[in-house]
Amino acid sequence: MRTGRFVATLAVVAALVACAGRQHALPGSERCPAHGGAPWREYTSRHFVVDTDVAGPAAAALVDDLERLRALVAAALVRDPPEIPGYVRVVVPASIHTYHALAPRMAAGYFGVTALGEPVVVLQPEILTRDPEVIAHELAHHFTWYFFPRQPRWFAEGIAQFVQTVAAKEGPRRASAGAIPKQRAEFLGRGPAMPAAEILEARHDDAEFELWSWVLYHWLWSHRSRELAEYEGRLRRADDPRAAWRAEFPEFASPQGLDELTRALDAHRRRGEFASYSVHAQWNGSFTVAPLEAADVHMLLLGASAGRTREVVRTEVLAALEDDPGHPVAVWRKASLDGASAVPALRAIAAARPGDWRAWMLLAESLRDDARRGGASDGERRERIEAYRRALALNPSAARAHADLAAALAGEGALREALPHARRAVELWPSDARTLAILATVAAGLAACDEAAPAAARAVDLLPPDAAPEARAELADIGRRCGGPR
């Protein structure tokens, strides 16, 4: 069983008000649960783990709404969608002040992946009522990586907007895909058309690009449905997106053809006749609930803020340790702050709390970090591998643990034992470049080029612009050795 306690580290921005000392305040000045504040609970449904201090019936409605949206988005993306592995963690502070203290400015909600490999969404408490399309859009981004392992940016944005309107609860747009997205309607008729070449090459990163990505996807769905289906089939097989476009839309591969496509898109948006279709799905909103301890709330909300100074981090970590001196993540973070090894303390915590997967995971990570600094004995390497295995026995959906265990086993030459873990990591976290790179490396070591080459290509697609040149070179080398997908 997965422990109810968890800490996440997210890439988001904001300031944090420390929950320690005389104020005992959470971000936004709400009181900590250990000092008279509202209790936090963890609601676990079939597909979500919701951490919130929203109370009673409102929390139950929140979980049901999330399951409903998930079912509708999946059904809109793929007919008879398969079960997607893993779960999505959702953090919902009841206080809007707490949310605003954590969130990027003007963000109604945001999506990320935790440092321990969990997909996570942070939401305003009222967002599912006020603007549920925001959440449907982010869920669509999460799901499309399972259905379309390689996808250009225009496609990712276009299809997410195409299906997000299933979140509408009333009117002609109710539970329909293909309707005009709520946040795009007022801008649809403004300004000149974006050239199709710029859309396809993703030369922009703004609301205008997102709008025209949706127009392009909608036009293809309306006027080239057969070719779009074949194109999506190629993306599902992890084909190169540019080659897939040329194969299915050869008339739009030349400069003249792209100019013709630009004119068609402009006419499409000016006519304003956007066909849509109703989406139906069934869902199960049942859940179990467990209390979330005060130290976990400290670490959860600290992790939900990237705009934190070293002093604030230390204050929050010490506050968590005051509530729970054996909290594995707080111990791990304090060791990092102090420049010390966390291994001795985490060994003791794992022994005292053998059912907490985080203790085993962080013990393994700390053993790895110590080895990088000063080498590791045979016994420590075996201990690290066993710690990953213990973590996965408690939480089989921990993608990072699967990936890191695969890397550790590969380092010991146990490639065949590593391969199933590398595959499972990609199943759970298909949009992570590092996880894909581990699979590519392990598969290439076994001469499994049918698996290695597409994994390497997908990893290159997902590398950030500032990725180390060595990482790109290693992945390119796998592609050359394998000669591309067979």
Side-chain angles (χ1 to χ4, degrees):
M1 292 289 292
R2 186 173 61 250
T3 181
R5 290 187 261 180
F6 176 78
V7 64
T9 303
L10 303 173
V12 296
V13 293
L16 187 69
V17 181
C19 179
R22 287 177 291 179
Q23 291 190 32
H24 298 300
L26 295 173
S29 299
E30 297 296 324
R31 294 189 70 81
C32 295
H35 299 282
W40 281 66
R41 296 181 176 86
E42 186 164 272
Y43 297 80
T44 303
S45 65
R46 183 173 179 180
H47 302 104
F48 294 93
V49 176
V50 182
D51 294 317
T52 184
D53 56 340
V54 172
L62 173 68
V63 174
D64 188 72
D65 261 352
L66 287 169
E67 287 287 353
R68 177 183 65 86
L69 279 183
R70 182 206 174 281
L72 288 169
V73 168
L77 285 169
V78 178
R79 181 179 298 173
D80 299 323
E83 184 67 17
I84 294 173
Y87 55 89
V88 179
R89 183 169 293 276
V90 183
V91 177
V92 188
S95 167
I96 192 65
H97 303 294
T98 298
Y99 175 83
H100 284 316
L102 296 172
R105 187 173 178 271
M106 304 299 290
Y110 46 98
F111 182 87
V113 180
T114 73
L116 293 180
E118 290 185 313
V120 64
V121 179
V122 184
L123 303 180
Q124 289 185 25
E126 77 282 4
I127 190 62
L128 282 171
T129 300
R130 195 187 72 203
D131 193 4
E133 287 188 38
V134 170
I135 310 309
H137 182 94
E138 298 303 334
L139 286 173
H141 276 310
H142 174 56
F143 293 153
T144 56
W145 289 110
Y146 292 93
F147 303 138
F148 308 106
R150 297 191 70 181
Q151 49 182 287
R153 279 193 54 234
W154 75 264
F155 178 86
E157 287 299 333
I159 196 170
Q161 292 175 93
F162 187 85
V163 304
Q164 74 178 56
T165 52
V166 298
K169 291 184 176 182
E170 56 190 27
R173 300 165 70 251
R174 182 178 183 275
S176 63
I180 300 174
K182 181 179 179 180
Q183 71 270 38
R184 303 289 173 234
E186 64 178 294
F187 302 103
L188 189 59
R190 298 183 186 178
M194 179 176 287
E198 294 186 16
I199 304 172
L200 293 172
E201 294 301 322
R203 297 180 192 169
H204 299 259
D205 187 18
D206 52 24
E208 184 184 11
F209 169 75
E210 293 175 0
L211 168 66
W212 284 98
S213 295
W214 174 76
V215 173
L216 172 56
Y217 187 89
H218 199 289
W219 184 86
L220 292 172
W221 178 77
S222 300
H223 299 280
R224 297 289 192 279
S225 58
R226 181 184 62 79
E227 293 90 341
L228 177 60
E230 292 296 326
Y231 176 74
E232 290 181 348
R234 291 177 180 271
L235 298 183
R236 194 173 291 116
R237 295 190 297 272
D239 288 0
D240 176 74
R242 289 185 174 87
W245 178 269
R246 291 192 297 269
E248 299 304 332
F249 305 107
E251 70 273 33
F252 302 132
S254 67
Q256 296 80 6
L258 289 170
D259 289 342
E260 179 185 342
L261 180 57
T262 299
R263 291 189 289 272
L265 298 181
D266 191 31
H268 188 62
R269 66 92 179 237
R270 291 186 183 282
R271 282 194 298 269
E273 299 172 354
F274 297 103
S276 61
Y277 61 93
S278 295
V279 177
H280 304 280
Q282 295 182 333
W283 67 94
N284 182 347
S286 62
F287 57 84
T288 59
V289 60
L292 195 64
E293 296 185 11
D296 288 313
V297 178
H298 283 286
M299 302 310 296
L300 184 72
L301 297 182
L302 173 63
S305 173
R308 52 190 184 269
T309 65
R310 187 178 180 86
E311 292 74 19
V312 166
V313 172
R314 182 175 292 277
T315 299
E316 282 295 296
V317 167
L318 292 176
L321 290 172
E322 179 182 345
D323 290 323
D324 180 2
H327 192 284
V329 185
V331 167
W332 175 63
R333 296 200 68 157
K334 186 174 186 302
S336 177
L337 288 168
D338 294 342
S341 171
V343 168
L346 287 169
R347 279 179 179 145
I349 293 169
R353 306 179 180 190
D356 190 334
W357 79 276
R358 300 166 304 169
W360 296 106
M361 174 71 179
L362 294 174
L363 173 58
E365 299 287 271
S366 298
L367 285 163
R368 179 199 63 191
D369 294 341
D370 283 7
R372 287 174 175 171
R373 288 190 288 266
S377 67
D378 290 344
E380 287 169 331
R381 291 198 299 271
R382 288 193 297 270
E383 181 185 12
R384 180 188 171 204
I385 288 172
E386 179 58 24
Y388 281 131
R389 287 177 173 148
R390 295 288 294 270
L392 287 168
L394 294 162
N395 183 5
S397 295
R400 178 67 55 82
H402 279 290
D404 288 351
L405 175 56
L409 288 168
E412 297 294 309
L415 293 174
R416 293 194 181 280
E417 190 179 356
L419 186 58
H421 290 287
R423 287 170 172 163
R424 183 61 175 162
V426 169
E427 287 177 358
L428 291 163
W429 198 357
S431 60
D432 181 60
R434 178 177 175 273
T435 299
L436 285 159
I438 290 171
L439 174 60
T441 301
V442 172
L446 293 168
C449 281
D450 286 350
E451 194 164 11
R458 289 166 61 189
V460 170
D461 289 345
L462 291 163
L463 284 174
D466 59 350
E470 295 81 4
R472 293 185 185 276
E474 289 175 10
L475 291 166
D477 183 58
I478 290 175
R480 282 192 296 271
R481 284 189 284 127
C482 281
R486 292 180 180 176

